[in-house]
């Protein structure tokens, strides 16, 4: 499995996709922006391009002829997606922390980049993953439907979460303006978000690993 | 010992069907797998590599069932697809570095000796290699991980005669020591006349015949006679063509009566393929 991940990073993931987290992460410096968009760029750009590359290079057949199990093929691809997502989210978090300290006097209309917000981002990626991974492995090469459905699902979640954050004063109080008193609450939202991300990704992987063995290569 | 033993493999698609495919390849020999485009060669090869799910039947490689020992057997199989490129924007060196990690018997010395022998530059990109070089690169990879069975799908298609001849010599060299076996699909039958020991002929998803090369062609006779003689053998012919001099047709040697006075010759593989394809057309 480790060899398959290495294979993808050496052959299927061009350097630009490892630089992208820094480029999109830098958007965290736009004061008071909709920061969900920073991570959505991964879904809009990196994912379809990367999977288009896999298809163009006949990666599926290449991999299927190696002495590896079909389960490992799915597990490795899911790991590559998760590793790239973590890279995007961690770099955005670091840039977000700098951004918050840089602009001390602005009013955030959209979510402030505190821990609670990053928890929501993990949930967004989890929703993206369960949709993308499960749909993609119906064929293991058609990525259009998987990309479309997963992006719409992730954007709907982000849009609804943001709308509630603005409309509901209760939710607004939780996510906006992190004081020391709210660090515990924010951290627990982050942890809950991470757990949801793990759960949704694992479910996506399970569905995919049931579907992939039936695929004709 | 059998390097490859395919037993009653069937696979049904919407518009095509592999019907009860069976053939065997002895260890240390080259088998030519011939058939027209669309006859089922690649589908059969995909079933040997477990890339498609067969509806019934069994594939055994080096005495072991493929479905049960897939990973272990894939360590022993080398492959080359003449018309499919993988990661062709990568350099040979990069691709090899990735591939070698999957094989427990990988031998760097063997790999570099084949690179030298085949004059392969590992700093070139796959897309910069000629078709023949790509096949040689795949052979170098297969031999470096100690593959015992080479499955080659149309490896000589698109090659010039010099490159083809060169590749055929390499194939013969490889099986020389009796350890390596080659299944080699092609529609260029002259290649097989040069190097194959056995021939398996597939037509419309069914194996017509699988036999030792000389025995294979001797099973048939190519008849040429006057139009008036056609009626005597018409029913027995596999198929025939009429021309201004009379007719030519293919017949099973057993069905041919030498006393009939019709000229008969041993057909070439190409002629056998053509007349079988014509038979299909006659029934359409």
């Amino acid at each position: 499995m480790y060899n398959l991940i290495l294979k993808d990073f050496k052959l299927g993931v061009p350097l630009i996709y490892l630089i992208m987290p820094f480029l999109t992460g830098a958007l965290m410096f736009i004061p008071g922006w909709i920061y969900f968009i920073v991570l959505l760029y991964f879904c809009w750009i990196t994912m379809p391009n990367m999977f288009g590359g896999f298809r163009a290079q006949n990666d599926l057949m290449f991999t299927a002829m190696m002495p590896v199990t079909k389960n490992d093929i799915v597990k490795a691809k899911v790991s590559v997606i998760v590793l790239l997502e973590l890279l995007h989210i961690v770099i955005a978090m670091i840039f977000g922390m700098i951004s918050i300290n840089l602009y001390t006097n602005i009013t955030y209309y959209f979510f402030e980049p505190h821990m609670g917000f990053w928890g929501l981002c993990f949930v967004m990626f989890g929703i993206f993953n369960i949709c993308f991974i499960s749909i993609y492995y119906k064929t293991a090469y058609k990525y259009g439907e998987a990309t479309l459905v997963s992006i719409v699902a992730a954007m709907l979640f982000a849009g609804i979460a943001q709308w509630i954050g603005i409309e509901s004063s209760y939710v607004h109080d939780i996510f906006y303006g992190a004081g020391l008193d709210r660090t515990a609450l924010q951290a627990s939202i982050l942890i809950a978000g991470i757990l949801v991300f793990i759960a949704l990704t694992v479910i996506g992987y399970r569905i995919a690993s049931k579907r992939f063995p039936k695929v004709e290569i | 010992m059998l390097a490859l033993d395919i037993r009653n493999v069937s696979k049904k698609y919407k518009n095509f069907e592999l019907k009860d495919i069976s053939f065997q390849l002895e260890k240390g020999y080259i088998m030519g797998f011939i058939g027209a485009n669309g006859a089922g060669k690649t589908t059969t090869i995909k079933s040997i590599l477990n890339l498609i799910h067969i509806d019934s039947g069994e594939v055994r490689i080096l005495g072991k069932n493929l479905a049960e020992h897939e990973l272990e057997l894939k360590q022993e199989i080398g492959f080359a697809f003449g018309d499919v490129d993988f990661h062709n924007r990568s350099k040979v060196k990069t691709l090899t570095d990735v591939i070698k990690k999957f094989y427990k018997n990988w031998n760097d010395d063997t790999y570099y000796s084949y690179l030298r022998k085949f004059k392969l530059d590992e700093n070139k990109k796959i897309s910069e290699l000629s078709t023949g070089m790509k096949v040689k690169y795949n052979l170098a990879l297969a031999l470096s991980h100690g593959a015992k069975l080479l499955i080659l799908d149309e490896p000589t298609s698109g090659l010039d005669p010099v490159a083809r001849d060169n590749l055929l010599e390499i194939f013969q060299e490889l099986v020389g020591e009796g350890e390596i076996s080659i299944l080699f699909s092609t529609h260029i039958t002259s290649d097989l006349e040069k190097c194959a020991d056995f021939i398996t002929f597939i037509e419309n998803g069914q194996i017509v015949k699988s036999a030792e090369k000389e025995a294979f062609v001797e099973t048939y006779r190519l008849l040429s006679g006057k139009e008036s003689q056609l009626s005597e053998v018409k029913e027995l012919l596999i198929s025939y063509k009429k021309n201004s001099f009379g007719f030519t047709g293919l017949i099973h040697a057993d069905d041919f009566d030498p006393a009939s006075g019709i000229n008969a010759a041993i057909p070439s593989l190409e002629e056998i393929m053509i007349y079988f394809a014509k038979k299909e057309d006659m029934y359409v």
Side-chain angles (χ1 to χ4, degrees):
Chain A
M1 217 264 296
Y2 171 75
N3 286 335
L4 282 169
I5 297 175
L6 208 65
K7 174 204 76 115
D8 277 349
F9 277 104
K10 278 193 170 175
L11 301 175
V13 185
L15 187 63
I16 182 67
Y17 300 143
L18 300 177
I19 298 171
M20 279 293 280
F22 294 92
L23 299 178
T24 58
L27 296 170
M28 292 302 299
F29 292 119
I30 301 174
W33 203 40
I34 310 175
Y35 295 123
F36 273 127
I37 294 177
V38 171
L39 296 181
L40 279 169
Y41 276 114
F42 169 77
C43 312
W44 292 334
I45 297 173
T46 305
M47 284 295 282
N49 279 303
M50 190 169 74
F51 279 81
F54 286 136
R55 181 158 83 174
Q57 300 299 336
N58 286 315
D59 180 71
L60 174 61
M61 202 167 178
F62 175 78
T63 314
M65 279 185 301
M66 298 288 164
V68 286
T69 62
K70 291 211 160 85
N71 223 9
D72 274 351
I73 294 177
V74 179
K75 210 186 279 177
K77 207 63 104 198
V78 172
S79 306
V80 170
I81 297 172
V82 169
L83 284 170
L84 286 172
E85 283 171 343
L86 290 179
L87 199 62
H88 271 267
I89 217 162
V90 167
I91 289 164
M93 280 168 113
I94 295 168
F95 285 0
M97 276 193 276
I98 302 170
S99 172
I100 273 188
N101 289 308
L102 208 60
Y103 312 118
T104 45
N105 291 324
I106 56 163
T107 312
Y108 285 93
Y109 186 68
F110 303 108
F111 283 128
E112 293 176 46
H114 294 300
M115 282 189 284
F117 167 71
W118 297 116
L120 294 177
C121 288
F122 270 108
V123 176
M124 182 179 78
F125 269 161
I127 292 171
F128 178 83
N129 287 353
I130 191 173
C131 297
F132 186 90
I133 296 163
S134 61
I135 298 171
Y136 177 72
Y137 276 103
K138 280 183 190 170
T139 61
Y141 74 96
K142 284 185 188 170
Y143 60 94
E145 185 196 345
T147 308
L148 187 70
V149 173
S150 53
I151 287 177
V152 168
M155 285 175 69
L156 270 177
F157 169 79
I160 291 167
Q162 183 59 78
W163 180 73
I164 295 171
I166 293 166
E167 287 297 310
S168 157
S169 56
Y170 173 69
V171 178
H172 190 280
D173 287 347
I174 296 172
F175 286 96
Y176 288 69
L180 276 176
D181 54 327
R182 272 184 297 184
T183 304
L185 176 64
Q186 293 270 332
S188 51
I189 296 171
L190 175 62
I191 291 165
I194 292 172
L195 292 176
V196 171
F197 169 78
I198 294 170
L200 292 177
T201 307
V202 168
I203 295 169
Y205 157 71
R206 291 250 165 97
I207 298 171
S209 58
K210 283 210 177 86
R211 285 180 173 171
F212 183 50
K214 294 179 193 134
V215 170
E216 304 272 5
I217 298 164
Chain B
M1 187 188 176
L2 291 176
L4 181 62
D5 182 5
I6 302 198
R7 297 179 188 173
N8 313 100
V9 168
S10 295
K11 169 78 185 170
K12 201 167 185 168
Y13 290 101
K14 261 187 201 161
N15 303 315
F16 178 73
E17 190 179 356
L18 277 189
K19 286 170 242 162
D20 204 22
I21 301 283
S22 293
F23 61 88
Q24 286 75 36
L25 168 61
E26 284 280 342
K27 196 176 160 195
Y29 291 97
I30 299 177
M31 175 178 275
F33 189 36
I34 57 169
N37 292 329
K41 298 191 296 290
T42 301
T43 312
T44 306
I45 283 180
K46 281 188 172 181
S47 68
I48 297 172
L49 294 167
N50 210 19
L51 298 179
I52 56 168
H53 302 277
I54 52 177
D55 298 336
S56 59
E58 188 184 5
V59 176
R60 296 183 74 82
I61 294 172
L62 303 164
K64 287 179 184 156
N65 182 301
L66 175 69
E68 289 164 15
H69 302 268
E70 183 179 350
L71 295 198
E72 187 189 335
L73 288 172
K74 279 190 172 170
Q75 292 277 352
E76 314 254 7
I77 303 177
F79 56 84
F81 287 80
D83 55 351
V84 189
D85 279 354
F86 303 106
H87 295 284
N88 65 358
R89 295 284 160 204
S90 304
K91 280 185 180 178
V92 167
K93 191 177 171 30
T94 316
L95 202 56
T96 304
D97 280 345
V98 169
I99 290 171
K100 71 181 190 186
K101 295 205 162 62
F102 289 90
Y103 294 99
K104 55 181 189 225
N105 294 328
W106 181 269
N107 186 325
D108 262 335
D109 294 338
T110 313
Y111 175 70
Y112 284 108
S113 76
Y114 277 109
L115 281 197
R116 279 192 299 275
K117 184 175 175 187
F118 296 157
K119 298 187 178 65
L120 277 160
D121 177 358
E122 64 170 353
N123 290 313
K124 273 194 173 177
K125 288 182 178 173
I126 304 295
S127 59
E128 291 166 348
L129 299 179
S130 66
T131 320
M133 281 301 194
K134 280 180 202 164
V135 176
K136 285 182 186 172
Y137 173 54
N138 280 319
L139 287 179
L141 289 174
L143 299 167
S144 308
H145 69 74
K148 298 280 182 292
L149 174 65
L150 304 181
I151 309 275
L152 313 173
D153 191 19
E154 312 252 351
T156 52
S157 305
L159 297 190
D160 64 62
V162 181
R164 284 225 307 271
D165 191 64
N166 178 245
L167 210 52
L168 298 178
E169 271 177 26
I170 294 169
F171 293 164
Q172 280 176 313
E173 245 174 68
L174 293 178
V175 296
E177 287 174 23
E179 275 301 304
I180 294 171
S181 320
I182 299 179
L183 178 76
F184 163 16
S185 90
T186 185
H187 55 262
I188 307 168
T189 51
S190 58
D191 289 350
L192 302 178
E193 270 149 14
K194 284 183 195 163
C195 82
D197 304 298
F198 294 90
I199 301 287
T200 296
F201 177 30
I202 186 169
E203 178 64 35
N204 199 24
Q206 278 176 303
I207 299 292
V208 175
K209 193 167 179 63
S210 180
E212 192 264 325
K213 186 171 67 187
E214 274 71 33
F216 182 90
V217 289
E218 278 169 17
T219 317
Y220 302 98
R221 292 289 182 275
L222 186 68
L223 305 187
S224 53
K226 292 179 196 145
E227 204 168 342
S228 58
Q229 293 171 309
L230 178 59
S231 58
E232 293 171 31
V233 286
K234 197 171 174 180
E235 294 304 311
L236 297 168
L237 290 174
I238 291 159
S239 72
Y240 61 90
K241 288 180 190 176
K242 281 186 191 173
N243 55 40
S244 52
F245 305 105
F247 78 98
T248 54
L250 191 74
I251 193 167
H252 283 281
D254 296 343
D255 293 337
F256 176 62
D257 175 11
S260 66
I262 302 172
N263 284 334
I266 305 279
S268 65
L269 289 171
E270 187 169 312
E271 283 159 341
I272 295 172
M273 250 175 85
I274 289 170
Y275 282 94
F276 265 96
K278 202 165 163 52
K279 175 189 166 195
E280 291 298 328
D281 294 344
M282 285 161 75
Y283 288 106
V284 172

